Amino acid sequence: MVKLSYQQASDLGVTFATGIRDVIRYTTDEANLATNARLPLIRFLRPSPVRAFKSMWAALLQATAVWVVCQEVPEYRTNDKLVKKTLFQLDSTLEMLLPNVFKQLTPEQLERYEQARKKLIYTAMQPDCLKNDLAEKFLILLHGEGSDRIKPKNELATLKQVTMAASVFQSLFEIELGINKKKDKTEEKK
């Protein structure tokens, strides 16, 4: 069982923010297709919808990172100080790492991002939350309840994106805390 200190919770926020920056940088096109976001083909002519999507994608990735910590450290859900440390570092570092996204959002886009982030993180912190719950909630927040843009294939493709992101955050979590699960398994066999 892993126990987190306040410093480790804070460090995880910074580590996850760098991971989110890289995931956004390399998977926005895949995420666009998976979620049926329909971003413009020539993005430099209409950057606003792209920035808005990246901010929403960042909200989902933050929730996914929090979900990973909750899976590894169940008492994390009940320790508000640990959660606040992680989220403060995560949010402030992410805004610094992605200024071309967050500093150029319209007030409406920024408000939508903040609301989506809160709702997704709340969902991620529920004891019975699964990755599928995050994917479904994200699609609803992105397109609206009952939208015809939410199809079973998009739900499955979004779940795949969440699963891949969760594996990235799982690795970052283990690296940050110095956990070597392979070594632990071989010691258990002895």
Side-chain angles (χ1 to χ4, degrees):
M1 186 61 68
V2 178
K3 206 131 170 74
L4 280 181
S5 69
Y6 293 121
Q7 184 61 49
Q8 288 171 322
S10 182
D11 292 346
L12 276 173
V14 175
T15 300
F16 286 153
T18 58
I20 290 169
R21 177 202 56 199
D22 293 342
V23 170
I24 287 173
R25 182 180 294 160
Y26 297 112
T27 66
T28 297
D29 290 335
E30 289 175 35
N32 170 38
L33 293 173
T35 62
N36 198 14
R38 299 182 185 161
L39 294 179
L41 220 41
I42 304 172
R43 296 186 180 165
F44 65 88
L45 294 176
R46 290 190 45 224
S48 184
V50 176
R51 284 192 295 267
F53 177 74
K54 285 182 177 182
S55 70
M56 292 293 285
W57 189 239
L60 175 62
L61 294 172
Q62 289 176 64
T64 304
V66 167
W67 181 83
V68 166
V69 178
C70 288
Q71 299 307 303
E72 293 294 322
V73 187
E75 64 270 5
Y76 182 79
R77 286 182 182 91
T78 59
N79 190 329
D80 285 342
K81 287 184 180 180
L82 285 176
V83 174
K84 286 178 182 177
K85 289 252 184 209
T86 305
L87 292 180
F88 175 78
Q89 289 298 334
L90 181 57
D91 196 40
S92 59
T93 305
L94 197 57
E95 286 182 22
M96 182 184 68
L97 293 174
L98 293 172
N100 60 335
V101 173
F102 291 105
K103 296 217 185 301
Q104 296 181 21
L105 291 175
T106 65
E108 296 80 24
Q109 290 170 335
L110 190 58
E111 178 63 25
R112 185 174 182 216
Y113 157 74
E114 289 292 341
Q115 291 303 316
R117 179 177 177 267
K118 287 176 187 173
K119 289 175 182 176
L120 288 164
I121 288 173
Y122 175 80
T123 301
M125 293 189 68
Q126 300 308 305
D128 58 345
C129 179
L130 302 171
K131 290 179 274 190
N132 190 48
D133 299 326
L134 290 173
E136 287 176 10
K137 184 76 163 181
F138 175 73
L139 288 171
I140 290 169
L141 290 169
L142 186 65
H143 299 302
E145 184 81 43
S147 172
D148 62 343
R149 292 169 82 179
I150 302 173
K151 298 178 170 74
K153 72 175 188 173
N154 298 110
E155 290 175 345
L156 188 60
T158 303
L159 175 59
K160 180 181 174 187
Q161 292 295 316
V162 170
T163 301
M164 289 190 296
S167 69
V168 168
F169 298 127
Q170 179 69 43
S171 296
L172 290 173
F173 177 85
E174 291 171 7
I175 291 167
E176 183 65 40
L177 297 180
I179 299 169
N180 187 346
K181 289 199 173 187
K182 290 180 183 176
K183 180 182 173 187
D184 294 342
K185 286 180 183 178
T186 56
E187 288 178 5
E188 285 176 9
K189 289 180 182 178
K190 291 180 183 179

